[in-house]
Amino acid sequence: MFDDLPEDLPRLETLRVWHTLWLARINAKIAAVQQRQAEAEQGRRRRPEPPQWTVELGIGTGRPPVQVHVGNCHMSSKRRRPVGRDEARRLLADGLRACTHCRPDTQLDIPGLPRGTTPAIPHRPLPQGHQHDEHSSASGRRP
């Protein structure tokens, strides 16, 4: 059936050693992959649940809150902290801006805020030399 093997004993023993070494390498690789998969699964099970609500924090002294987000909002910056439902509702009711992408104000259904709107953002004047000109185009050049 398998007549392609050599007839002499030294070469057959060499093949057996070679295949034994390969089998040991394959078994070691299988064990490493199984270990890696077990660690990944354990990491998935131990990962904490994402927060339900977050507050995006500003830059600077005291890092004041800037905006409220739903916990998994992709528009939230890295400067954020988790908050509970009650604190998110309080912050929005006190006038903190709601994210326009994830709409936490709509999901929290805050009484006193019209559904689907956020409090007005106070207008900050532009610095000198950056005055808005109604006749300028979007690129900043005059027609």
Side-chain angles (χ1 to χ4, degrees):
M1 179 180 209
F2 294 107
D3 292 355
D4 57 341
L5 294 175
E7 297 292 327
D8 60 302
L9 190 58
R11 287 193 297 171
L12 286 170
E13 288 173 344
T14 300
L15 283 173
R16 181 172 53 192
V17 169
W18 187 80
H19 281 283
T20 302
L21 292 173
W22 267 101
L23 187 58
R25 285 185 66 193
I26 292 169
N27 287 337
K29 184 68 172 191
I30 288 171
V33 168
Q34 288 173 334
Q35 176 70 25
R36 199 168 39 241
Q37 288 175 344
E39 289 170 356
E41 178 59 31
Q42 184 179 21
R44 278 190 291 277
R45 283 193 313 261
R46 289 186 175 180
R47 183 175 297 132
E49 289 293 320
Q52 205 171 9
W53 313 100
T54 61
V55 172
E56 184 175 339
L57 302 172
I59 300 173
T61 307
R63 296 173 52 154
V66 176
Q67 194 165 277
V68 177
H69 295 272
V70 173
N72 61 355
C73 178
H74 66 280
M75 295 300 291
S76 177
S77 75
K78 294 191 185 293
R79 296 179 322 273
R80 64 179 181 262
R81 68 176 172 86
V83 294
R85 180 180 182 86
D86 292 337
E87 185 176 356
R89 289 175 58 88
R90 183 188 56 76
L91 289 168
L92 288 170
D94 288 348
L96 193 62
R97 188 171 49 163
C99 174
T100 58
H101 293 276
C102 63
R103 306 304 307 209
D105 55 335
T106 303
Q107 292 186 31
L108 288 167
D109 196 25
I110 298 175
L113 282 182
R115 192 156 219 220
T117 62
T118 58
I121 303 167
H123 174 71
R124 292 189 329 183
L126 293 172
Q128 285 293 342
H130 293 229
Q131 299 301 324
H132 177 68
D133 184 1
E134 289 182 19
H135 301 290
S136 64
S137 64
S139 66
R141 293 179 281 143
R142 293 198 176 247

